[in-house]
């Protein structure tokens, strides 16, 4: 690797120690507890806020609002506010968001498929440490 080439780890790592790297921020947004669930849920269809909150479960209104705003700012979620009474707001994925959501879903599916192996590894590790 040449002097000017950087690895993915280099780009995601906080280089100067004083500020948060933008790569790391996006990684945190996409892989956060609620970000992951929002992205996966929105892969199926668009949702109104209350529907999405019920679909995800156990998320506070404040946390869901913050998560949606963060993902919208990152260009992953589209917020469609319709000028009707009562107000109607729908959330859906942008093309960029769909791309990210498919990656997140793939990881979630891998975890689901490999959970038995992970639990076995944990038991073996714990037994060796005891």
């Amino acid at each position: 690797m040449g002097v000017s080439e950087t690895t993915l780890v280099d780009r995601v790592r906080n280089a100067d120690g004083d500020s948060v790297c933008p790569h790391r921020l996006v990684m945190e947004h996409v892989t956060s507890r609620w970000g992951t669930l929002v992205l996966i849920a929105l892969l199926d269809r668009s949702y109104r806020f209350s529907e999405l909150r019920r679909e995800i479960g156990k998320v506070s209104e404040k946390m869901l609002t913050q998560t949606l705003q963060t993902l919208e700012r990152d260009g992953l979620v589209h917020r469609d506010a319709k000028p009707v009474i009562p107000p109607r707001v729908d959330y859906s994925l942008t093309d960029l968001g769909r791309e990210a959501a498919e990656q997140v879903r793939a990881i979630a599916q891998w975890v689901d498929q490999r959970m038995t192996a992970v639990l076995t590894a944990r038991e073996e590790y714990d037994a060796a440490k005891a």
Side-chain angles (χ1 to χ4, degrees):
M1 180 169 23
V3 176
S4 65
E5 294 179 40
T6 58
T7 67
L8 179 59
V9 172
D10 289 334
R11 290 189 300 274
V12 173
R13 181 179 50 223
N14 181 359
D16 63 11
D18 294 330
S19 62
V20 178
C21 169
H23 292 78
R24 181 176 286 184
L25 274 177
V26 174
M27 288 283 294
E28 288 176 8
H29 299 163
V30 168
T31 61
S32 71
R33 177 179 183 181
W34 304 118
T36 300
L37 296 176
V38 165
L39 291 170
I40 292 171
L42 289 175
L43 265 173
D44 294 332
R45 64 180 182 89
S46 64
Y47 282 90
R48 293 179 74 176
F49 184 88
S50 57
E51 292 176 318
L52 185 57
R53 188 170 177 213
R54 280 191 301 273
E55 176 68 20
I56 291 172
K58 297 187 180 183
V59 60
S60 70
E61 188 172 318
K62 179 182 177 183
M63 279 309 305
L64 183 55
T65 298
Q66 288 176 350
T67 300
L68 287 166
Q69 287 173 343
T70 298
L71 295 174
E72 182 182 6
R73 183 171 184 251
D74 287 343
L76 306 178
V77 168
H78 173 71
R79 181 181 185 272
D80 183 20
K82 296 184 179 15
V84 296
I85 297 175
R88 179 183 173 102
V89 179
D90 292 308
Y91 294 92
S92 61
L93 293 174
T94 63
D95 289 342
L96 188 62
R98 180 161 299 284
E99 204 176 312
E102 287 169 352
Q103 299 298 317
V104 169
R105 181 175 58 187
I107 293 170
Q109 289 170 332
W110 177 86
V111 169
D112 185 52
Q113 294 166 357
R114 302 303 291 164
M115 199 62 212
T116 301
V118 170
L119 293 173
T120 299
R122 286 179 180 177
E123 289 171 5
E124 290 170 359
Y125 178 89
D126 293 344
K129 291 290 183 185

